[in-house]
Amino acid sequence: MIDYKILVKEAYEAQKYAYIPYSHWAVGAALLTKEGKIYRGCNIESSTFSPTNCAERTAFFKAISEGDKDFAAIAIVGNDADTPIGEGDFCPPCGVCRQVMTEFCQRDFEIILARDYDDYKVYTLAELMPLISLPLSK
């Protein structure tokens, strides 16, 4: 069973490292493998924005580059840099991140969107990608 609160805590830890000099929007992600390993990711901006990398993809790419490709869940937090925990909103993954998830995750992969440590919603990848024309991986 997945401990969502631990994943949310790890996502908030990752958010602290966001490099956001342009948008000031800090995102953190904590990706859980089926073996129980957690990879953290934060968003990393560039002045031209197209080479910017989202927190979710940072976590996925770290895991994949270390040989892990079997994932269970990801927790995502995001807010304006000055927003206290619990005062912001939920931060769903963008379309590019969802596409990466469909490449490497099963339909029951869980996506935890959190406002604070105790206020979160859990979705499956299939719920966030209901009309995908390609079959989800595995």
Side-chain angles (χ1 to χ4, degrees):
M1 182 169 172
I2 297 170
D3 188 332
Y4 299 129
K5 289 185 180 187
I6 289 174
L7 274 183
V8 169
K9 178 184 173 286
E10 291 290 325
Y12 275 115
E13 287 299 313
Q15 185 184 34
K16 294 176 183 177
Y17 298 102
Y19 178 72
I20 53 167
Y22 308 103
S23 74
H24 308 288
W25 183 262
V27 180
L31 176 64
L32 177 68
T33 69
K34 289 189 177 176
E35 292 76 34
K37 188 169 183 180
I38 296 173
Y39 290 91
R40 292 180 186 171
C42 63
N43 56 323
I44 303 166
E45 294 181 347
S46 172
S47 61
T48 58
F49 277 100
S50 61
T52 293
N53 203 54
C54 298
E56 301 93 310
R57 284 182 284 135
T58 298
F60 269 97
F61 297 161
K62 285 171 67 175
I64 294 161
S65 71
E66 293 184 24
D68 280 321
K69 294 181 186 162
D70 204 11
F71 305 111
I74 191 168
I76 306 164
V77 299
N79 288 299
D80 185 75
D82 298 327
T83 303
I85 293 173
E87 292 185 19
D89 205 350
F90 298 102
C91 182
C94 74
V96 175
C97 289
R98 292 178 198 205
Q99 188 62 47
V100 168
M101 291 176 197
T102 65
E103 185 71 26
F104 294 100
C105 301
Q106 296 176 9
R107 301 179 65 78
D108 62 349
F109 175 77
E110 292 183 315
I111 301 160
I112 302 101
L113 307 180
R115 291 185 65 241
D116 68 30
Y117 301 106
D118 295 310
D119 186 7
Y120 54 84
K121 296 178 180 182
V122 181
Y123 301 91
T124 65
L125 183 56
E127 289 173 318
L128 291 186
M129 299 292 284
L131 300 176
I132 187 162
S133 59
L134 298 173
L136 295 176
S137 146
K138 300 174 189 158

